[in-house]
């Protein structure tokens, strides 16, 4: 049974370039979360969706960040233009609904380096 | 607002000894508590959760956690540590106010567990 799939696993880009991170949630899960992890700030929730609809994007740091979920099996997180301070590991997670007792299942992450 | 604190950045324990990783929380409603583990270059992996009922929750890999409402704590424990348990451990809390209104899972800063021979 496949878990959450993220691609690419590693991304190195130059400042100013557009970066697109991809996520495929676990089949049957209808909630999807994007997190960012850095040494300085720990694990931060950026945005989450329920039934493909963004519920809370208050964690998105700037307008340079955008996320979409065009269907139940795919989501993207885009950074345009990218900056060195965006360097982090970005995780996607999914869960079966938003009920409080539902655990989230995390993907392996995308390690982004912006030079 | 909900929050969780992990007071120790690192915990060191010898293999075979019991381990405890501490977590305290703050919520306005009923707490839903979770422990996750992160191995190097991997995503977070669910270990166990407390929703309601028995205060002692058993999870994966021999880990357990004890919910203490009066102390607002949810410490992670294991009777006998293994070197392979060395990893980063995260406590997380969700405020049980109602579906959709408080669905954010708030994570602690993580505690690095180092188990040595």
């Amino acid at each position: 049974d496949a878990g959450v799939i993220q691609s690419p696993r590693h991304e190195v880009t130059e400042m100013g370039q557009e970066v697109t991170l991809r996520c495929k949630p676990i089949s049957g899960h209808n909630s999807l979360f994007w997190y960012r992890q850095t040494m300085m700030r720990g694990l931060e929730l950026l945005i989450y969706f329920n039934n493909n609809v963004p519920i809370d994007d208050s964690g998105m740091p700037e307008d340079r960040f955008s996320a979409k979920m065009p269907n139940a099996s795919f989501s993207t997180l885009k950074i345009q233009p990218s900056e060195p301070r965006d360097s982090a590991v970005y995780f996607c997670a999914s869960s079966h609904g938003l009920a409080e007792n539902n655990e989230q299942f995390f993907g392996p992450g995308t390690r982004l380096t912006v030079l | 607002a909900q929050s969780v604190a992990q007071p120790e950045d690192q915990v060191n324990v010898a293999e075979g000894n019991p381990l405890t990783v501490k977590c305290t929380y703050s919520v306005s409603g009923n707490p839903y508590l979770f422990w996750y583990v992160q191995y190097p270059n991997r995503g977070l992996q669910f270990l166990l959760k407390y929703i309601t009922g028995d205060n002692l929750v058993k999870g994966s890999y021999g880990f357990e956690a004890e919910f203490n409402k009066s102390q607002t704590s949810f410490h992670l424990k294991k009777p006998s540590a293994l070197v392979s348990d060395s990893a980063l451990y995260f406590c997380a809390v969700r405020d049980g106010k109602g579906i959709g209104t408080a669905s954010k899972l708030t994570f602690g800063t993580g505690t690095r567990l180092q188990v040595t021979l």
Side-chain angles (χ1 to χ4, degrees):
Chain A
D1 189 16
V4 175
I5 299 172
Q6 291 187 248
S7 64
R9 293 294 309 276
H10 302 272
E11 177 81 24
V12 180
T13 190
E14 293 186 345
M15 183 174 63
Q17 296 297 307
E18 177 180 298
V19 174
T20 299
L21 312 181
R22 299 173 179 81
C23 175
K24 177 179 169 55
I26 293 172
S27 177
H29 283 189
N30 59 345
S31 296
L32 183 140
F33 306 80
W34 282 102
Y35 291 88
R36 179 173 67 176
Q37 186 180 38
T38 62
M39 289 292 291
M40 293 297 294
R41 301 169 71 97
L43 198 63
E44 303 173 277
L45 176 65
L46 301 178
I47 184 172
Y48 67 94
F49 296 81
N50 189 48
N51 293 325
N52 311 337
V53 177
I55 303 301
D56 187 341
D57 65 354
S58 60
M60 296 285 261
E62 298 173 35
D63 290 345
R64 298 184 297 106
F65 286 70
S66 62
K68 294 182 180 179
M69 192 164 185
N71 57 61
S73 59
F74 184 66
S75 177
T76 59
L77 178 67
K78 185 178 293 187
I79 308 173
Q80 166 63 17
S82 59
E83 297 182 2
R85 58 195 169 116
D86 301 331
S87 297
V89 181
Y90 290 81
F91 289 105
C92 176
S94 70
S95 70
H96 194 67
L98 291 178
E100 292 87 350
N101 60 340
N102 290 342
E103 60 268 31
Q104 296 175 14
F105 294 84
F106 283 73
T110 295
R111 184 174 295 276
L112 173 65
T113 302
V114 183
L115 303 173
Chain B
Q2 59 196 39
S3 65
V4 61
Q6 294 182 244
E8 304 154 315
D9 289 337
Q10 181 155 329
V11 170
N12 298 307
V13 64
E15 187 174 57
N17 284 358
L19 70 87
T20 298
V21 182
K22 296 179 180 177
C23 171
T24 59
Y25 66 90
S26 175
V27 295
S28 55
N30 292 320
Y32 292 78
L33 296 153
F34 303 79
W35 275 101
Y36 286 81
V37 59
Q38 185 179 29
Y39 297 101
N41 301 313
R42 303 285 292 276
L44 277 70
Q45 185 175 337
F46 170 74
L47 272 181
L48 52 81
K49 64 182 178 183
Y50 171 81
I51 303 303
T52 187
D54 195 348
N55 289 344
L56 185 64
V57 179
K58 295 187 182 296
S60 307
Y61 312 120
F63 283 93
E64 57 190 29
E66 187 167 13
F67 171 66
N68 188 316
K69 187 173 183 178
S70 63
Q71 297 185 2
T72 61
S73 67
F74 189 55
H75 301 332
L76 181 69
K77 300 182 179 183
K78 187 173 182 180
S80 179
L82 298 172
V83 172
S84 57
D85 292 331
S86 299
L88 190 58
Y89 290 81
F90 290 93
C91 182
V93 68
R94 182 183 280 137
D95 195 333
K97 282 185 175 178
I99 293 176
T101 62
S103 294
K104 287 184 180 180
L105 194 57
T106 299
F107 285 86
T109 52
T111 298
R112 187 164 300 281
L113 174 65
Q114 187 69 46
V115 182
T116 54
L117 290 171

